[in-house]
Amino acid sequence: MRRKVIAGNWKMNMLPNEAIDFIEKLTPLVKNTKNEVIICVPYTDLFYVLLNVQGTNIKVGAQNMHWEESGAYTGEVSGQMLKSIGVEYVIIGHSERRQYFSETDEIVNKKVKQALKVGLKPIVCVGETLEQREQGITEKVISKQIEKALEGIEQESLEKIIIAYEPIWAIGTGNTATKEEANEAIMQIRKKISEIYGQNKSDKIIIQYGGSVKSSNAKSLFEMSDIDGGLVGGASLNAEEFSKIVQFDN
Ligand code: PEP
């Protein structure tokens, strides 16, 4: 059976003092869960958060990284830099990065490769726009994103990768996909992974749903056959609300 993984994505929110407060509140609330808990925080919070999660079951991720090891890339942060301070996960290809920072499938692929190379676990985001869903091309779009993101990735690396299916029309809009829509898209992703890597790998890979997940809808979504937890934006900014999502099965 696959584990459930709940990851928070704070986006560009939370100053270090707020981040420390959050960890203090979240720690006792989630200490007994059997689900995996990750929070993906801004670069400027990483160090404080890493210090404050020591000895807890909360894991830490970044929200982006550069694909090169080092060099003249002013303002960028490398995977190695993240790894060196103890970061475990990194979100790659979030739709906000694709939309506002022109990240292409090729860039996503380079970042996934570099993350794996330095020992980070990528959370790779894919998802269609509302227009694409209305055109009936959701499966085609997400299959292509998966194919490109994983191009050249060895099958042994697959267990270090999490996929997040995040329909763009559901992110930050309050319009959650129905549990059936989310489950169906995730089954299509598994089918694509099975075509590339075989059924065994596709049965094992963790695939989350993301898009307006809240404590009120987490249980019905995460209990679906193919949904292995969630990537949570807005609702991850409140420790109590986030803890209820993490403990959807309690
Ligand atoms: C996200 O940032 O990945 C996300 C799904 O946001 P929200 O939960 O706010 O829709």
Side-chain angles (χ1 to χ4, degrees):
M1 244 218 2
R2 294 183 299 267
R3 67 194 194 281
K4 300 283 183 190
V5 183
I6 323 299
N9 172 19
W10 285 357
K11 312 195 187 198
M12 198 172 71
N13 294 294
M14 296 278 214
L15 298 175
N17 61 322
E18 295 169 317
I20 294 166
D21 266 8
F22 179 99
I23 301 300
E24 254 170 42
K25 285 195 188 117
L26 185 69
T27 300
L29 297 175
V30 298
K31 70 173 198 280
N32 293 323
T33 185
K34 60 180 187 339
N35 302 325
E36 191 170 336
V37 192
I38 307 168
I39 45 169
C40 299
V41 309
Y43 291 137
T44 45
D45 289 336
L46 279 171
F47 196 67
Y48 300 96
V49 168
L50 283 160
L51 280 179
N52 282 275
V53 298
Q54 277 180 25
T56 76
N57 57 339
I58 302 167
K59 297 175 174 178
V60 178
Q63 300 170 12
N64 182 34
M65 57 169 270
H66 197 269
W67 63 86
E68 292 288 351
E69 218 163 273
S70 60
Y73 299 99
T74 303
E76 290 293 325
V77 171
S78 75
Q80 242 175 352
M81 291 169 176
L82 298 173
K83 181 71 184 173
S84 73
I85 61 165
V87 172
E88 189 172 343
Y89 286 92
V90 59
I91 297 175
I92 293 182
H94 191 282
S95 64
E96 287 154 14
R97 295 221 50 93
R98 294 182 190 251
Q99 190 181 347
Y100 306 133
F101 303 97
S102 311
E103 276 194 15
T104 60
D105 287 331
E106 288 70 27
I107 291 175
V108 170
N109 179 246
K110 285 203 259 185
K111 291 186 175 186
V112 173
K113 283 181 174 153
Q114 184 63 12
L116 291 167
K117 187 173 167 199
V118 301
L120 291 168
K121 298 175 187 162
I123 301 175
V124 183
C125 302
V126 298
E128 80 288 0
T129 62
L130 184 58
E131 202 184 2
Q132 289 164 334
R133 177 160 280 266
E134 284 171 352
Q135 284 168 9
I137 56 169
T138 298
E139 180 168 8
K140 192 170 150 217
V141 170
I142 57 182
S143 295
K144 182 171 159 273
Q145 288 173 336
I146 288 289
E147 196 177 303
K148 294 269 194 172
L150 300 182
E151 202 172 279
I153 306 290
E154 308 273 325
Q155 59 165 347
E156 299 74 57
S157 299
L158 229 53
E159 63 204 43
K160 301 192 187 88
I161 297 176
I162 292 176
I163 307 284
Y165 166 62
E166 297 210 308
I168 294 166
W169 48 272
I171 298 178
T173 59
N175 298 327
T176 318
T178 65
K179 56 186 183 176
E180 291 83 11
E181 284 168 337
N183 203 49
E184 193 191 342
I186 291 179
M187 284 166 82
Q188 290 163 353
I189 293 172
R190 274 193 213 289
K191 187 174 129 219
K192 185 72 208 169
I193 292 175
S194 167
E195 281 165 23
I196 310 171
Y197 295 100
Q199 176 87 37
N200 185 35
K201 293 286 173 194
S202 87
D203 283 346
K204 283 195 184 139
I205 192 162
I206 300 293
I207 310 182
Q208 301 172 312
Y209 165 76
S212 300
V213 173
K214 321 180 239 297
S215 60
S216 56
N217 58 27
K219 185 173 165 66
S220 65
L221 285 159
F222 301 169
E223 279 181 352
M224 294 301 280
S225 63
D226 283 69
I227 306 181
D228 305 325
L231 182 55
V232 184
S236 74
L237 292 169
N238 178 294
E240 210 173 316
E241 170 70 1
F242 185 58
S243 76
K244 288 184 190 154
I245 298 173
V246 168
Q247 307 197 89
F248 71 94
D249 48 357
N250 252 358

